Structure formats: structure tokens, C-alpha cells
Amino acid sequence: MSSSYHPAAPRSFFARRFAAVLFTLSIGTAGLGAAAPARAEGQIRVAEQFGIVYLLLNVARDQQLIEKEGRKEGLDIKVDWVKLSGGAAVNDALLSGSVDIAGAGVGPLLTIWDRTHGRQNVKGVASLGNLPYYLVSNNPGVKTIADFSDKDRIALPAVSVSVQSRVLQFAAAKQWGDKEYNRLDKLTQAVPHPDAAAAIIAGGTEITGHFGNPPFQEQELAGNPKAHIVLSSYDVLGGPSSATVLYATEKFRNDNPKTYRAFVDALADAARFVTANPDAAADIYLRVNQSKTDRKLLLSIIRSPQVQFKVAPQNTLALAQFMYRVGAIRNQPKSWKDYFFDDPATAAGS
């Protein structure tokens, strides 16, 4: 699916496209009930979502970095790429055995880590970098989260699962106390980022807020003069933090050590590539996603001092402890290492 959209998309288009996405996901996940058979070394299926937060995967795909690292391990790795929307769909795909590596926010990782603790033992593989996520509104009356009313609807990729949803809950807990952490949940709706961005830019829909990610949040701010930032994930989490991560089951990691190593090494290669070649990285994003996003806008994001492309997770524990505190997860994380695999590439995490 293309991550492009038309800024003047009418509401009927928004409704049709959102329905089509839901239909596609329902068909795609309907057959995921039975776990897939064990796979031999040299095969890997990666689930990604929308946005420049997945740039490292885009670069690894375009430059065939996984295949290159696999050859160093003596493997001819076959890589399959799957695009889904929302952490819930990604988690379902991972647990069903339909994908091997899941890409989603820290929120979905913590949910599935908790759910599979002592069983499939899903843990984080690596971060996709530090990028701020903005809650953007086109309602001039909304200056803080306390200004949202029952007339507003906030789009995010998955209700009560996505990292955007969890960060919004964390912000609500800071605003009104832990007992009111889910106060804004009733206003949230699951909408893919491209469609939510179209709604914010066009106006005139029930969607007046979007907790998104780059480049959609920047497109909203540039495309609608009423659009403004209500909240930044960095403000809630206390500084630069890894919002989007990759994770896998313990079985896949143990059964495919060479493939796993090639994947992590390729991700580190991609991080170095993006840092050294921002122009080429922007072109890769446009090409892989068949996106019509403004190239100058992409480069401003990639080169932003707030953005860091690295594979070691950063500043994730505060959200994990919040989720435990309010009962969103049952297992208490004492350290970020509880929900990430021990790996030299992520040893400097937090």
C-alpha cells in the first residue's frame, strides 16, 4: 500500500480507504489462526508499518543488506516483507507464526512480552531509532490534552495497544493521576497513518487529532494552517526515546542464530548508511514506499537534531513501568533488558 495521500481527500475517500484497509487486514489475518511450521535457517519474514520510522528497514530492503550479511554467515537468505497497520495486527501475525520479525511501537512490544512471558517469550530485537511522535490537532481550541472534548476524535494506529495510545495514556496519568490514565481512550479511533493525515489536512471529518509519526505529522503541520502540536512523545517520556522497535519470539532467535545475526547486523549497517547518506536514504524511502512525500520534508526529518538512527533502544523503561503500574501488563519489568534480547548490538540500551 502506498503511504501517499491527497491533501484534499474528501471524507468519502477517507471512509472508503479506511474500510478497504480494515477489509484487507481482516482477510489477511483470518487465516493466521494456526501457527506456521518451523522454518529453516535462511528465511525471514519481516512485518513493517507506515512512516519514516521504518527507514532502516526500507534501506535494508533496498540495499539487500540482510542478504549481504547472510552471505557472510554462509546463507542465501530469502526475505519476505509484509506491511500491516497497527500493533494489534502485527502482534497477531507474529503469534500466529505468519511473520518472524515484528515492527511496531514499544507499547505493542510490552503487551506481547507480557502476554508471552514464560511461553513464546517474545522480546525486543533492536530499536529503529529515536524519533519524536507528535499529537497534532486541527482544532484551534485544543491547546493541551485537557482541551479535548467529546466532539473530538483522536486517530492512532491501534487503540490501547499502539505506542501512541500508551504515550497518550501516560500523558493523561500525568495530567489527572494514574486512576484516570484511560480518560481519553473513549476519544481514540484506530486509523492508518496515511488516512489520519489526510483527515487532519482536509478537515471536515470527525478526526480532529492524530497521534502519528514522521513524515505524516510534519505533512499535517505543513498542509493545514490550523494544525499544531498538542503533545510530543519526548515530553512525556522525558527526552529522546525509541518509539518504534523490532521484536521476535525466543524460538525464532534460538532456531535461526545465523539468520538472526545477519538481520541485526544488517540493521546496524542500515543505521550507519542513513547517518552517512541522508540524501540517498530519502530517495530510498520514496522509492520503496512509492511515496509522493516532499523530498525536502523528508530530508528535514532525517537531518533533524531530534532524530537519531541507531539500533540500541533508549529511554523505554519509564513507559514499561507506567504500564505495569496501571495494570496494562502483569509482569513487572525491572530493567529494559527484561523485554529485550541480550545482544552486543543493543548493549548500550536503556
Side-chain angles (χ1 to χ4, degrees):
M1 296 180 66
S2 171
S3 60
S4 62
Y5 63 89
H6 193 289
R11 184 171 180 176
S12 58
F13 168 80
F14 166 69
R16 287 199 309 272
R17 183 168 180 189
F18 183 39
V21 170
L22 289 180
F23 178 76
T24 300
L25 290 181
S26 67
I27 294 297
T29 57
L32 302 185
R39 294 163 65 84
E41 280 263 40
Q43 299 179 76
I44 190 168
R45 299 159 298 174
V46 184
E48 58 181 328
Q49 298 185 61
F50 298 98
I52 204 168
V53 293
Y54 294 95
L55 181 60
L56 297 190
L57 293 182
N58 297 160
V59 169
R61 179 178 185 175
D62 183 81
Q63 299 294 299
Q64 297 189 323
L65 299 179
I66 301 171
E67 293 88 342
K68 290 176 182 176
E69 290 293 345
R71 286 191 283 274
K72 295 179 184 179
E73 300 284 346
L75 296 175
D76 184 15
I77 298 179
K78 181 181 184 297
V79 186
D80 291 325
W81 300 90
V82 180
K83 181 161 282 189
L84 298 172
S85 180
V90 171
N91 283 355
D92 287 345
L94 183 67
L95 291 182
S96 72
S98 296
V99 300
D100 305 307
I101 299 287
V106 174
L109 163 62
L110 292 166
T111 297
I112 198 170
W113 165 75
D114 181 64
R115 179 179 170 187
T116 64
H117 192 69
R119 296 190 292 275
Q120 296 100 322
N121 291 322
V122 172
K123 290 187 178 183
V125 172
S127 169
L128 287 173
N130 299 335
L131 297 95
Y133 285 12
Y134 300 147
L135 171 56
V136 174
S137 177
N138 60 9
N139 181 347
V142 175
K143 304 299 184 185
T144 73
I145 60 171
D147 296 324
F148 282 109
S149 72
D150 289 341
K151 295 179 181 179
D152 295 294
R153 291 296 179 268
I154 304 169
L156 36 75
V159 175
S160 297
V161 177
S162 64
V163 67
Q164 289 90 347
S165 178
R166 294 305 188 187
V167 171
L168 183 60
Q169 290 177 341
F170 198 0
K174 289 186 173 184
Q175 178 80 27
W176 296 293
D178 281 357
K179 291 183 179 179
E180 295 284 323
Y181 81 95
N182 59 355
R183 182 166 174 167
L184 298 175
D185 283 8
K186 63 183 179 180
L187 304 181
T188 62
Q189 289 184 203
V191 183
H193 289 314
D195 300 314
I200 291 295
I201 291 174
T205 79
E206 69 276 17
I207 302 297
T208 59
H210 175 211
F211 211 153
N213 66 13
F216 305 107
Q217 57 197 25
E218 286 80 10
Q219 290 171 326
E220 293 163 359
L221 294 171
N224 186 333
K226 293 182 180 179
H228 58 281
I229 299 172
V230 177
L231 188 73
S232 168
S233 61
Y234 280 12
D235 294 336
V236 182
L237 299 174
S241 55
S242 303
T244 303
V245 294
L246 301 170
Y247 45 97
T249 64
E250 184 178 57
K251 178 175 174 55
F252 175 77
R253 183 175 186 262
N254 291 343
D255 290 353
N256 304 274
K258 292 183 178 180
T259 303
Y260 184 93
R261 170 54 44 208
F263 177 78
V264 175
D265 287 347
L267 204 66
D269 293 342
R272 288 189 288 269
F273 180 97
V274 173
T275 302
N277 307 282
D279 287 272
D283 291 336
I284 287 172
Y285 177 84
L286 294 171
R287 182 166 60 249
V288 171
N289 294 285
Q290 298 180 329
S291 173
K292 296 179 181 178
T293 303
D294 181 71
R295 187 176 184 274
K296 185 181 293 187
L297 184 69
L298 282 177
L299 279 172
S300 71
I301 297 168
I302 295 172
R303 290 172 171 164
S304 169
Q306 286 193 302
V307 172
Q308 300 149 343
F309 291 100
K310 57 183 183 179
V311 298
Q314 184 174 345
N315 200 14
T316 63
L317 186 59
L319 183 64
Q321 292 176 332
F322 158 73
M323 288 176 61
Y324 173 76
R325 198 166 63 244
V326 298
I329 56 177
R330 294 170 296 177
N331 294 284
Q332 182 177 11
K334 302 291 181 60
S335 161
W336 69 274
K337 294 182 178 180
D338 290 341
Y339 48 86
F340 269 87
F341 289 119
D342 185 16
D343 194 286
T346 58
S350 63

